[in-house]
Amino acid sequence: MSSLPTSPPQPTALDVLGQVFGYSHFRGPQEAIVDHVVHGGDALVLMPTGGGKSLCYQIPAIVRQNAGHGVTIVISPLIALMHDQVGALTEAGVSAAFLNSTQTFEESSALEKQLLRNELTLLYAAPERINTPRMKGLLASLHERGLLSLFAIDEAHCVSQWGHDFRPEYRSLSLLHETFPDVPRMALTATADHLTRQDMIERLKLDDAREFVSSFDRPNIRYTIVEKTDPTRQLLRFIQTEHDGEAGIVYCQSRKRVEEIAGMLEAAGIKAMAYHAGLESSLRQQRQDRFLREEGMVMVATIAFGMGIDKPDVRFVAHLDMPKNIEGYYQETGRAGRDGQSADAWMVYGLQDVVNQRRMIDTSEAASEEFKQVMRGKLDALLSLAEDTRCRRVSLLGYFGEASQPCGNCDNCLNPPAVWDATDAARKMLSCIYRVQQASGISFGAGHLMDILRGKTTEKITQYGHENLSTFGIGADLAEAQWRSVLRQLIASNMVRVNAEAFNTLQLMPDARRVLKGEASVLLRQQSLTTKAAKPKRGSKTSVKGLVEATLNAGALERLAHLKAWRGEVAREHNLPAFVIFHDATLRAIAEQAPQSLQDLEGISGMGTKKLQAYGAEVLRVCAAA
Ligand code: ADP
Ligand code: ZN
């Protein structure tokens, strides 16, 4: 039988998803996005961290390259991660490379030649590269030859000063639409805030781009916000009882605190490292690599750590200090549970956090008054979230403009907080602030005001004669912790302002009038009660490890252990994180399957064609030996 030589039909996006990445179906809006971009449309993609943004440009890049459109340029600020990103694509059989300043002239030249021969599907580059004469020349040559397929701008919120990661070098990306208006562009981010979104559209000229906004819900993440009492001990207990031996990130405000906490965890026998911008960049890179490559590491870090960290099995993100705003909180907590398995977002916060954050905004010299106003509004929204007695997820999603129902998987849903009527206490606090200001002509800080309310005769009280105020001792019935809670919530609801320019003194705001006049009541969460009640209820939650062990039989567990050890060796040989070779979920599926032939491995999620060819036989051997 003879047949005419015909070129095989080009694989569709769905074929690529299966053959290259080993996944059987698109997630949420991925299909619509991929389809739009494959056909040359511009797109703005808003998807939560872990939602699956990478495939939204990687698959169009592959399909378009097959169709002769040339290379996709991925703009990403994550220089330290480019090696692993490119490694993951190479493992999947996709020709990809990155350009950065660590490369020699010869290396860059070789890459450029490859590009001009249309041999690369994806090229990663940092935004500051785009504006260099050499890069501009390269892009122009590619464009001339019709080999510039698509620009994918990752972490696109970095272009906006309202985003929490403003990077001035992103501004130079206007060059893309100005010089190459006919090349499709897509911008991707996990920050959906309205101001930031408008800014991205304007700066990257995406007015005509289609917007794809996903649900921002991450149902597998459990949100918990507790009062900060003894943060180090609280953290230790949280890790030891809920996440022993698991990977996690702990965020702290300052470098000093990061070092302290990392030291404390290590002393307690937890594998922990510190990461902040004050460390040598080689040390930072080394620690980041360890976090990605070793199992069960805890990274204690400032927000300098984490953007683009695509480790799928981070089981918890803990905040020991409050972030600046909900966008930051959501992005940081989103680094937990990318693999879809249950994970914790856990935060402790207290009055001092509120005071610190206010001070940072008020005293920032570079910022305009308008900017400070926006930042204060954003901080207030986060405070309201922390103080909220309703479902955390409903509040969080509501902030991003998404309506939802109580989730059953946050602290407030699982242990509804007791609420107490604090109208009377709030009024006492407000009138005390007022009286003190009136009597002394100056304002005072939180500690002093609480001393007056509770009727403590300190040196300072006597010095100012504050024991003679009508509000002295009127709040002796409440504990200091309760007063702190009242004050936090008054600050959160904008009735009291912390004046950072005057020693963090407290000042009444116009909104206070309604409570003082008895026109509004104040309901507060009973902090100390809820934290106690929430503690021992552990039965409701089985750890992820426990779940895995419960569902696998002894033989499968044995295979899983062998597969993990084998994966570790391969990863080390290739200098890549283990999850780039295979995700845990893929190994688990293999272990369960007890494969006898290559055919048995086909169709396992995460097993693409290239990986089957490269590792199939080895995987069978490892399973047979187990
Ligand atoms: P993002 O960049 O949005 O934070 P990623 O692109 O890193 O998220 O994807 C998160 C995880 O989800 C990755 O491990 C990825 O392999 C996986 N993933 C993405 N799309 C799919 C899909 N359609 N089916 C199965 N897994 C997917
Ligand atoms: Zn809830």
Side-chain angles (χ1 to χ4, degrees):
M1 217 169 72
S2 70
S3 64
L4 289 171
T6 51
S7 57
Q10 297 291 349
T12 63
L14 191 62
D15 296 337
V16 171
L17 180 72
Q19 291 165 8
V20 177
F21 298 97
Y23 297 141
S24 56
H25 44 265
F26 283 109
R27 256 193 209 160
Q30 278 177 334
E31 184 165 21
I33 298 166
V34 166
D35 186 61
H36 180 72
V37 176
V38 161
H39 291 101
D42 291 345
L44 175 59
V45 175
L46 307 175
M47 212 183 250
T49 310
K53 284 184 286 299
S54 322
L55 292 189
C56 295
Y57 59 82
Q58 289 169 347
I59 291 181
I62 296 166
V63 174
R64 286 177 64 82
Q65 215 259 355
N66 285 339
H69 292 291
V71 69
T72 289
I73 311 284
V74 184
I75 317 287
S76 160
L78 312 167
I79 296 173
L81 292 170
M82 284 182 189
H83 170 267
D84 290 357
Q85 286 173 329
V86 166
L89 285 164
T90 310
E91 287 289 322
V94 182
S95 71
F98 61 87
L99 266 179
N100 78 19
S101 49
T102 65
Q103 285 155 332
T104 63
F105 184 84
E106 285 70 29
E107 282 170 327
S108 312
S109 302
L111 258 178
E112 284 164 14
K113 289 201 185 102
Q114 264 190 298
L115 282 163
L116 293 168
R117 287 197 303 261
N118 194 17
E119 288 171 1
L120 281 183
T121 303
L122 288 122
L123 178 73
Y124 286 73
E128 55 271 25
R129 290 289 288 199
I130 298 296
N131 231 349
T132 61
R134 187 162 174 187
M135 186 68 178
K136 283 200 269 194
L138 175 64
L139 291 177
S141 312
L142 287 169
H143 187 241
E144 243 167 54
R145 292 167 168 76
L147 293 179
L148 211 43
S149 169
L150 168 69
F151 291 118
I153 303 164
D154 205 4
E155 311 286 355
H157 62 279
C158 292
V159 79
S160 167
Q161 65 162 325
W162 306 124
H164 44 92
D165 291 311
F166 174 48
R167 297 192 179 217
E169 58 282 10
Y170 261 67
R171 292 285 164 92
S172 63
L173 297 180
S174 57
L175 176 113
L176 301 181
H177 60 258
E178 283 159 8
T179 319
F180 310 106
D182 56 325
V183 177
R185 284 189 314 282
M186 68 189 301
L188 306 102
T189 179
T191 301
D193 159 62
H194 183 73
L195 271 176
T196 313
R197 193 189 306 185
Q198 288 319 107
D199 227 15
M200 280 189 293
I201 293 175
E202 202 175 303
R203 303 272 174 190
L204 300 171
K205 202 154 191 317
L206 291 166
D207 321 55
D208 296 327
R210 223 172 111 185
E211 267 187 49
F212 295 89
V213 184
S214 313
S215 164
F216 265 65
D217 191 15
R218 296 286 309 281
N220 59 314
I221 298 183
R222 172 177 298 182
Y223 299 96
T224 304
I225 303 178
V226 299
E227 193 176 19
K228 195 187 276 189
T229 48
D230 184 350
T232 24
R233 279 196 35 216
Q234 285 172 293
L235 176 70
L236 197 57
R237 196 172 57 210
F238 167 70
I239 295 179
Q240 285 172 337
T241 58
E242 319 239 337
H243 294 287
D244 190 27
E246 295 180 331
I249 306 175
V250 178
Y251 282 110
C252 306
Q253 183 96 57
S254 68
R255 297 171 184 185
K256 184 164 159 266
R257 190 100 176 105
V258 161
E259 296 284 356
E260 277 168 20
I261 298 292
M264 181 279 290
L265 291 179
E266 270 200 306
I270 293 168
K271 285 207 293 178
M273 297 176 295
Y275 186 107
H276 54 73
L279 299 172
E280 276 289 316
S281 82
S282 60
L283 188 59
R284 288 209 303 269
Q285 175 84 44
Q286 188 194 325
R287 290 188 177 171
Q288 175 171 301
D289 286 348
R290 259 192 89 189
F291 179 72
L292 294 172
R293 284 158 172 72
E294 274 179 44
E295 291 203 33
M297 290 293 314
V298 175
M299 187 67 107
V300 185
T302 59
I303 53 166
F305 178 75
M307 203 208 291
I309 291 292
D310 49 3
K311 187 174 169 59
D313 57 353
V314 174
R315 294 270 67 87
F316 68 91
V317 170
H319 281 93
L320 272 202
D321 298 304
M322 195 173 67
K324 283 190 184 58
N325 52 43
I326 292 186
E327 289 89 338
Y329 172 74
Y330 207 64
Q331 189 122 8
E332 283 143 33
T333 54
R335 290 168 189 148
R338 278 170 178 250
D339 52 9
Q341 312 273 10
S342 70
D344 270 303
W346 180 89
M347 173 161 88
V348 290
Y349 103 114
L351 185 57
Q352 201 52 45
D353 289 298
V354 183
V355 172
N356 287 345
Q357 289 291 0
R358 285 276 173 169
R359 187 181 50 224
M360 281 199 289
I361 296 173
D362 292 343
T363 57
S364 69
E365 276 163 17
S368 67
E369 192 43 43
E370 180 206 8
F371 182 87
K372 289 182 183 175
Q373 213 44 50
V374 173
M375 291 299 133
R376 282 187 203 113
K378 288 184 174 223
L379 174 59
D380 289 346
L382 178 59
L383 293 176
S384 314
L385 169 74
E387 297 293 349
D388 214 325
T389 53
R390 297 169 309 158
C391 170
R392 305 279 190 199
R393 200 176 309 271
V394 168
S395 322
L396 273 169
L397 294 175
Y399 180 80
F400 295 115
E402 200 176 322
S404 63
Q405 294 299 313
C407 70
N409 190 27
C410 72
D411 55 351
N412 286 351
C413 282
L414 292 165
N415 296 290
V419 179
W420 61 294
D421 185 343
T423 313
D424 193 42
R427 215 182 286 149
K428 285 178 182 166
M429 170 69 83
L430 294 171
S431 49
C432 188
I433 296 173
Y434 177 74
R435 295 260 173 261
V436 171
Q437 157 83 34
Q438 217 186 21
S440 320
I442 49 169
S443 311
F444 289 82
H448 186 66
L449 281 154
M450 287 188 289
D451 287 345
I452 300 177
L453 283 165
R454 304 192 58 229
K456 270 183 155 174
T457 9
T458 65
E459 210 173 299
K460 201 166 171 185
I461 298 257
T462 335
Q463 184 192 342
Y464 288 96
H466 284 165
E467 70 276 22
N468 303 318
L469 289 172
S470 60
T471 52
F472 185 78
I474 57 169
D477 52 331
L478 296 185
E480 182 171 326
Q482 284 171 301
W483 280 118
R484 282 183 180 276
S485 161
V486 171
L487 186 53
R488 260 198 331 261
Q489 302 182 57
L490 289 174
I491 297 172
S493 48
N494 230 346
M495 292 189 235
V496 172
R497 180 170 107 90
V498 181
N499 187 349
E501 272 133 34
F503 311 105
N504 293 333
T505 53
L506 301 177
Q507 292 172 351
L508 289 193
M509 298 295 279
D511 281 358
R513 219 170 289 143
R514 290 175 46 241
V515 169
L516 280 169
K517 282 186 171 165
E519 289 168 10
S521 57
V522 181
L523 286 182
L524 299 185
R525 56 186 295 138
Q526 189 79 272
Q527 284 285 6
S528 35
L529 285 184
T530 49
T531 37
K532 263 184 220 135
K535 202 177 38 180
K537 273 206 163 182
R538 281 287 107 218
S540 60
K541 185 180 176 187
T542 322
S543 78
V544 177
K545 270 194 206 124
L547 279 176
V548 172
E549 275 151 32
T551 51
L552 291 184
N553 63 33
L557 275 178
E558 179 87 21
R559 281 188 291 279
L560 182 59
H562 280 74
L563 285 165
K564 279 194 172 175
W566 164 80
R567 177 182 67 175
E569 279 167 34
V570 177
R572 259 189 304 281
E573 250 168 54
H574 295 203
N575 183 23
L576 286 170
F579 62 81
V580 165
I581 310 298
F582 286 118
H583 279 187
D584 283 359
T586 304
L587 291 193
R588 210 175 303 140
I590 297 171
E592 247 179 326
Q593 170 94 347
Q596 305 294 316
S597 68
L598 287 178
Q599 231 167 8
D600 290 346
L601 290 174
E602 273 174 31
I604 285 184
S605 179
M607 183 66 82
T609 310
K610 170 82 192 295
K611 288 192 178 172
L612 187 63
Q613 280 169 6
Y615 302 124
E618 276 289 277
V619 165
L620 292 178
R621 185 189 59 73
V622 172
C623 287

